Amino acid sequence: GENVEQHPSTLSVQEGDSAVIKCTYSDSASNYFPWYKQELGKGPQLIIDIRSNVGEKKDQRIAVTLNKTAKHFSLHITETQPEDSAVYFCAAPSFGNEKLTFGTGTRLTIIP
Amino acid sequence: DVKVTQSSRYLVKRTGEKVFLECVQDMDHENMFWYRQDPGLGLRLIYFSYDVKMKEKGDIPEGYSVSREKKERFSLILESASTNQTSMYLCASRPMGGETQYFGPGTRLLVL
């Protein structure tokens, strides 16, 4: 099955700086890579995803990059704001896209 | 908006008790999932269901069972609760053929 590793487990950045979270996956057949954000007291929510036919995708201050050869993908948050403080999870599909395997999560803290 | 609700936000049970965690979604989604979330371990899939009366084991099904009698409701059952089942339990739903999972707010279960 799929194995997803995520780093770092915790990350603190000054407000306005950039944050980068990295994930690696094991199944070269995986073709869809979502990122979920979990705010305090809530369930995770999809914030961005990328498919294997593109190398980068942006949505305002958030971007995701994918390196299929190296089997890793990263979440980039620019101009961080206090509301970016949350736990972020990467994921990759397994079982033919029927389920997701999640990374272990990154707790991001934005320091005002 | 998709809404996934879970019956309790917090639950305290005794070792050996039978515990029911209920999840309801209002968007007619075929697929539903139960995860547990533990620090440093991320989200781990317990069971998932493709449709009514269908269920599949996830990565950590031991000690759990599920029931899906109606499309909108997916129940997680702890037949005999143990202290190592103290955790945050998250339910999610997804439409057939879709990729985004929609999560409920979670139930924090403490087994004493």
Short mmCIF file of all heavy atoms in Angstrom, two decimals, chain A residues 70-102:
data_model
loop_
_atom_site.label_atom_id
_atom_site.label_comp_id
_atom_site.label_asym_id
_atom_site.label_seq_id
_atom_site.Cartn_x
_atom_site.Cartn_y
_atom_site.Cartn_z
N ALA A 70 11.05 12.14 -8.19
CA ALA A 70 11.53 11.97 -6.83
C ALA A 70 10.44 11.51 -5.87
O ALA A 70 10.71 11.20 -4.71
CB ALA A 70 12.14 13.28 -6.33
N LYS A 71 9.20 11.50 -6.33
CA LYS A 71 8.04 11.11 -5.53
C LYS A 71 7.92 11.97 -4.29
O LYS A 71 7.81 11.46 -3.15
CB LYS A 71 8.08 9.61 -5.20
CG LYS A 71 7.84 8.74 -6.43
CD LYS A 71 7.57 7.29 -6.09
CE LYS A 71 8.85 6.56 -5.84
NZ LYS A 71 8.69 5.10 -5.70
N HIS A 72 7.94 13.29 -4.52
CA HIS A 72 7.62 14.16 -3.40
C HIS A 72 6.83 15.38 -3.87
O HIS A 72 6.87 15.77 -5.04
CB HIS A 72 8.86 14.55 -2.58
CG HIS A 72 9.87 15.40 -3.27
ND1 HIS A 72 9.65 16.74 -3.59
CD2 HIS A 72 11.12 15.14 -3.68
CE1 HIS A 72 10.73 17.23 -4.16
NE2 HIS A 72 11.62 16.29 -4.24
N PHE A 73 6.06 15.93 -2.96
CA PHE A 73 5.25 17.11 -3.24
C PHE A 73 5.27 18.02 -2.02
O PHE A 73 5.48 17.55 -0.90
CB PHE A 73 3.83 16.75 -3.68
CG PHE A 73 3.04 15.90 -2.71
CD1 PHE A 73 1.95 16.43 -2.04
CD2 PHE A 73 3.36 14.56 -2.50
CE1 PHE A 73 1.20 15.65 -1.18
CE2 PHE A 73 2.62 13.78 -1.63
CZ PHE A 73 1.53 14.33 -0.96
N SER A 74 5.11 19.29 -2.25
CA SER A 74 5.28 20.28 -1.19
C SER A 74 4.16 21.32 -1.22
O SER A 74 3.65 21.66 -2.29
CB SER A 74 6.62 21.01 -1.32
OG SER A 74 7.71 20.10 -1.26
N LEU A 75 3.85 21.82 -0.04
CA LEU A 75 2.89 22.92 0.12
C LEU A 75 3.67 24.18 0.47
O LEU A 75 4.51 24.15 1.37
CB LEU A 75 1.89 22.60 1.24
CG LEU A 75 0.85 23.68 1.54
CD1 LEU A 75 -0.17 23.79 0.41
CD2 LEU A 75 0.14 23.39 2.87
N HIS A 76 3.39 25.25 -0.26
CA HIS A 76 4.06 26.52 -0.03
C HIS A 76 3.01 27.55 0.34
O HIS A 76 2.03 27.74 -0.40
CB HIS A 76 4.80 26.99 -1.28
CG HIS A 76 5.78 26.00 -1.81
ND1 HIS A 76 7.14 26.16 -1.69
CD2 HIS A 76 5.60 24.82 -2.46
CE1 HIS A 76 7.76 25.12 -2.25
NE2 HIS A 76 6.84 24.30 -2.72
N ILE A 77 3.20 28.23 1.47
CA ILE A 77 2.32 29.31 1.86
C ILE A 77 3.15 30.59 1.94
O ILE A 77 4.14 30.64 2.69
CB ILE A 77 1.65 29.06 3.23
CG1 ILE A 77 0.93 27.70 3.23
CG2 ILE A 77 0.65 30.17 3.56
CD1 ILE A 77 0.38 27.29 4.59
N THR A 78 2.80 31.58 1.16
CA THR A 78 3.53 32.85 1.17
C THR A 78 2.77 33.89 1.97
O THR A 78 1.56 33.76 2.21
CB THR A 78 3.76 33.36 -0.26
OG1 THR A 78 2.48 33.52 -0.88
CG2 THR A 78 4.59 32.38 -1.08
N GLU A 79 3.51 34.92 2.40
CA GLU A 79 2.92 36.04 3.16
C GLU A 79 1.99 35.52 4.26
O GLU A 79 0.82 35.90 4.34
CB GLU A 79 2.16 36.97 2.21
CG GLU A 79 3.03 37.56 1.12
CD GLU A 79 2.21 38.31 0.06
OE1 GLU A 79 1.08 38.73 0.36
OE2 GLU A 79 2.72 38.46 -1.06
N THR A 80 2.53 34.67 5.10
CA THR A 80 1.69 34.00 6.11
C THR A 80 0.97 34.98 7.02
O THR A 80 1.49 36.07 7.34
CB THR A 80 2.53 33.04 6.96
OG1 THR A 80 3.66 33.74 7.49
CG2 THR A 80 2.99 31.85 6.14
N GLN A 81 -0.22 34.57 7.43
CA GLN A 81 -1.08 35.38 8.30
C GLN A 81 -1.50 34.54 9.50
O GLN A 81 -1.42 33.31 9.45
CB GLN A 81 -2.31 35.84 7.50
CG GLN A 81 -1.94 36.70 6.29
CD GLN A 81 -3.12 36.96 5.37
OE1 GLN A 81 -4.25 36.61 5.64
NE2 GLN A 81 -2.82 37.62 4.25
N PRO A 82 -1.93 35.17 10.58
CA PRO A 82 -2.31 34.41 11.78
C PRO A 82 -3.33 33.29 11.50
O PRO A 82 -3.25 32.22 12.12
CB PRO A 82 -2.90 35.49 12.70
CG PRO A 82 -2.18 36.74 12.30
CD PRO A 82 -1.98 36.62 10.81
N GLU A 83 -4.23 33.54 10.56
CA GLU A 83 -5.26 32.52 10.28
C GLU A 83 -4.70 31.29 9.55
O GLU A 83 -5.41 30.30 9.34
CB GLU A 83 -6.41 33.12 9.47
CG GLU A 83 -6.00 33.80 8.19
CD GLU A 83 -5.83 35.30 8.37
OE1 GLU A 83 -5.37 35.74 9.45
OE2 GLU A 83 -6.14 36.04 7.42
N ASP A 84 -3.42 31.34 9.17
CA ASP A 84 -2.79 30.16 8.58
C ASP A 84 -2.36 29.16 9.66
O ASP A 84 -2.00 28.02 9.34
CB ASP A 84 -1.56 30.56 7.75
CG ASP A 84 -1.93 31.40 6.54
OD1 ASP A 84 -3.04 31.21 5.98
OD2 ASP A 84 -1.11 32.27 6.16
N SER A 85 -2.38 29.58 10.91
CA SER A 85 -2.04 28.67 12.02
C SER A 85 -3.04 27.53 12.05
O SER A 85 -4.26 27.75 12.17
CB SER A 85 -2.04 29.41 13.36
OG SER A 85 -0.98 30.33 13.43
N ALA A 86 -2.55 26.30 11.93
CA ALA A 86 -3.41 25.12 11.85
C ALA A 86 -2.52 23.89 11.72
O ALA A 86 -1.30 23.99 11.69
CB ALA A 86 -4.34 25.21 10.63
N VAL A 87 -3.16 22.72 11.64
CA VAL A 87 -2.45 21.49 11.32
C VAL A 87 -2.73 21.16 9.85
O VAL A 87 -3.89 21.20 9.42
CB VAL A 87 -2.89 20.32 12.22
CG1 VAL A 87 -2.14 19.04 11.83
CG2 VAL A 87 -2.63 20.66 13.68
N TYR A 88 -1.68 20.88 9.11
CA TYR A 88 -1.79 20.58 7.68
C TYR A 88 -1.44 19.12 7.43
O TYR A 88 -0.45 18.60 7.97
CB TYR A 88 -0.87 21.49 6.87
CG TYR A 88 -1.29 22.93 6.90
CD1 TYR A 88 -0.97 23.75 7.98
CD2 TYR A 88 -2.04 23.48 5.87
CE1 TYR A 88 -1.37 25.08 8.04
CE2 TYR A 88 -2.44 24.81 5.91
CZ TYR A 88 -2.11 25.60 7.00
OH TYR A 88 -2.53 26.91 7.03
N PHE A 89 -2.26 18.48 6.59
CA PHE A 89 -2.03 17.08 6.23
C PHE A 89 -1.89 16.96 4.72
O PHE A 89 -2.72 17.48 3.97
CB PHE A 89 -3.21 16.20 6.66
CG PHE A 89 -3.39 16.07 8.14
CD1 PHE A 89 -4.29 16.87 8.82
CD2 PHE A 89 -2.66 15.13 8.86
CE1 PHE A 89 -4.47 16.75 10.19
CE2 PHE A 89 -2.82 15.00 10.23
CZ PHE A 89 -3.73 15.81 10.89
N CYS A 90 -0.89 16.22 4.28
CA CYS A 90 -0.82 15.82 2.88
C CYS A 90 -1.43 14.43 2.78
O CYS A 90 -1.63 13.74 3.79
CB CYS A 90 0.62 15.82 2.38
SG CYS A 90 1.71 14.65 3.22
N ALA A 91 -1.73 14.01 1.56
CA ALA A 91 -2.31 12.68 1.35
C ALA A 91 -2.01 12.20 -0.05
O ALA A 91 -1.71 12.99 -0.96
CB ALA A 91 -3.83 12.69 1.61
N ALA A 92 -2.08 10.89 -0.21
CA ALA A 92 -1.93 10.28 -1.53
C ALA A 92 -2.91 9.13 -1.61
O ALA A 92 -3.25 8.52 -0.59
CB ALA A 92 -0.49 9.80 -1.75
N PRO A 93 -3.39 8.83 -2.82
CA PRO A 93 -4.41 7.78 -2.94
C PRO A 93 -3.81 6.39 -2.84
O PRO A 93 -2.65 6.16 -3.16
CB PRO A 93 -4.99 8.02 -4.34
CG PRO A 93 -3.86 8.64 -5.09
CD PRO A 93 -3.10 9.45 -4.10
N SER A 94 -4.64 5.45 -2.41
CA SER A 94 -4.26 4.06 -2.44
C SER A 94 -5.50 3.24 -2.77
O SER A 94 -6.62 3.77 -2.77
CB SER A 94 -3.66 3.61 -1.10
OG SER A 94 -4.49 3.95 -0.03
N PHE A 95 -5.30 1.99 -3.05
CA PHE A 95 -6.44 1.14 -3.39
C PHE A 95 -7.15 1.67 -4.64
O PHE A 95 -8.37 1.69 -4.70
CB PHE A 95 -7.42 1.12 -2.23
CG PHE A 95 -7.79 -0.27 -1.76
CD1 PHE A 95 -6.89 -1.29 -1.78
CD2 PHE A 95 -9.07 -0.51 -1.27
CE1 PHE A 95 -7.25 -2.55 -1.35
CE2 PHE A 95 -9.43 -1.76 -0.83
CZ PHE A 95 -8.52 -2.78 -0.87
N GLY A 96 -6.36 2.10 -5.62
CA GLY A 96 -6.96 2.59 -6.85
C GLY A 96 -7.78 3.84 -6.65
O GLY A 96 -8.85 3.98 -7.23
N ASN A 97 -7.31 4.76 -5.83
CA ASN A 97 -8.01 6.02 -5.57
C ASN A 97 -9.25 5.87 -4.71
O ASN A 97 -9.98 6.84 -4.52
CB ASN A 97 -8.39 6.74 -6.86
CG ASN A 97 -7.21 7.40 -7.52
OD1 ASN A 97 -6.08 7.26 -7.06
ND2 ASN A 97 -7.46 8.11 -8.58
N GLU A 98 -9.53 4.69 -4.19
CA GLU A 98 -10.71 4.54 -3.36
C GLU A 98 -10.53 5.12 -1.97
O GLU A 98 -11.49 5.49 -1.32
CB GLU A 98 -11.08 3.05 -3.25
CG GLU A 98 -11.66 2.47 -4.52
CD GLU A 98 -12.89 3.23 -4.97
OE1 GLU A 98 -13.73 3.62 -4.12
OE2 GLU A 98 -13.04 3.45 -6.19
N LYS A 99 -9.29 5.18 -1.50
CA LYS A 99 -9.06 5.77 -0.19
C LYS A 99 -7.78 6.59 -0.24
O LYS A 99 -7.02 6.53 -1.19
CB LYS A 99 -8.97 4.69 0.89
CG LYS A 99 -7.86 3.67 0.67
CD LYS A 99 -7.83 2.68 1.82
CE LYS A 99 -6.62 1.78 1.70
NZ LYS A 99 -6.42 0.92 2.90
N LEU A 100 -7.61 7.40 0.80
CA LEU A 100 -6.42 8.23 0.92
C LEU A 100 -5.55 7.75 2.08
O LEU A 100 -6.07 7.33 3.11
CB LEU A 100 -6.79 9.69 1.20
CG LEU A 100 -7.47 10.47 0.07
CD1 LEU A 100 -7.92 11.84 0.59
CD2 LEU A 100 -6.53 10.63 -1.11
N THR A 101 -4.24 7.82 1.88
CA THR A 101 -3.30 7.64 2.98
C THR A 101 -2.77 9.01 3.34
O THR A 101 -2.24 9.73 2.48
CB THR A 101 -2.14 6.71 2.58
OG1 THR A 101 -2.65 5.42 2.26
CG2 THR A 101 -1.14 6.58 3.72
N PHE A 102 -2.94 9.39 4.61
CA PHE A 102 -2.54 10.72 5.06
C PHE A 102 -1.15 10.71 5.67
O PHE A 102 -0.70 9.71 6.25
CB PHE A 102 -3.53 11.24 6.11
CG PHE A 102 -4.85 11.68 5.53
CD1 PHE A 102 -5.87 10.78 5.31
CD2 PHE A 102 -5.06 13.02 5.19
CE1 PHE A 102 -7.09 11.19 4.78
CE2 PHE A 102 -6.26 13.44 4.65
CZ PHE A 102 -7.28 12.51 4.44
#
